[in-house]
Amino acid sequence: MKDDRQVDFEALPWQIGAPGIRFKAAERGGQRIRLVEMEPGIEHDWCTTGHVGYVLEGELEIEMGEGVLRLTRGEAFLIAAGEAERHRPMVRDTRARLLLVEELDASAKVPPDPRGR
């Protein structure tokens, strides 16, 4: 019997988010974990949701108000929620695959949005 604290991404279906993004997601205890694949060249909307992320493969740029975070395989990031750290991702050359952990809003249960909105 599988423990509900384990996430088997292989068993989860891919969901289509915004253009160029697909993801697999699991939720428990007010948190969501997502395996996200982002295709290159897609411009994304600004996001104010907080994220903890880890780049599994590829390269990812995250545009922030004060500059750009450039992340490669094996690097992680912490982005606080709110307008002060609004951000948007960009994949330049090859597909990026990342793991994201996010807090869910306890007052509203909505389907996961890969853009964090």
Side-chain angles (χ1 to χ4, degrees):
M1 176 188 231
K2 188 171 183 164
D3 189 307
D4 72 344
R5 292 170 288 203
Q6 290 177 288
V7 177
D8 180 3
F9 281 117
E10 293 295 321
L12 294 173
W14 285 105
Q15 300 177 52
I16 303 301
I21 296 177
R22 70 181 190 157
F23 65 96
K24 296 181 178 193
E27 297 178 5
R28 183 175 187 274
Q31 294 183 319
R32 174 173 50 214
I33 186 168
R34 293 188 292 153
L35 176 63
V36 179
E37 289 185 350
M38 303 175 83
E39 296 298 326
I42 307 293
E43 186 166 322
H44 300 280
D45 294 331
W46 288 98
C47 175
T48 57
T49 300
H51 305 281
V52 174
Y54 181 80
V55 180
L56 298 167
E57 66 182 59
E59 296 180 7
L60 175 70
E61 292 182 0
I62 302 176
E63 184 179 352
M64 310 278 295
E66 72 281 353
V68 176
L69 294 175
R70 288 180 175 79
L71 302 156
T72 60
R73 181 178 176 222
E75 293 184 309
F77 56 92
L78 299 162
I79 298 175
E83 194 63 35
E85 291 200 16
R86 77 182 194 134
H87 54 280
R88 61 181 173 182
M90 175 56 107
V91 177
R92 297 279 179 213
D93 298 319
T94 61
R95 181 185 74 192
R97 179 179 259 202
L98 38 140
L99 191 65
L100 293 177
V101 178
E102 301 142 333
E103 294 289 325
L104 295 173
D105 180 0
S107 66
K109 184 74 170 171
V110 295
D113 183 326
R115 296 169 291 180
R117 295 180 292 145

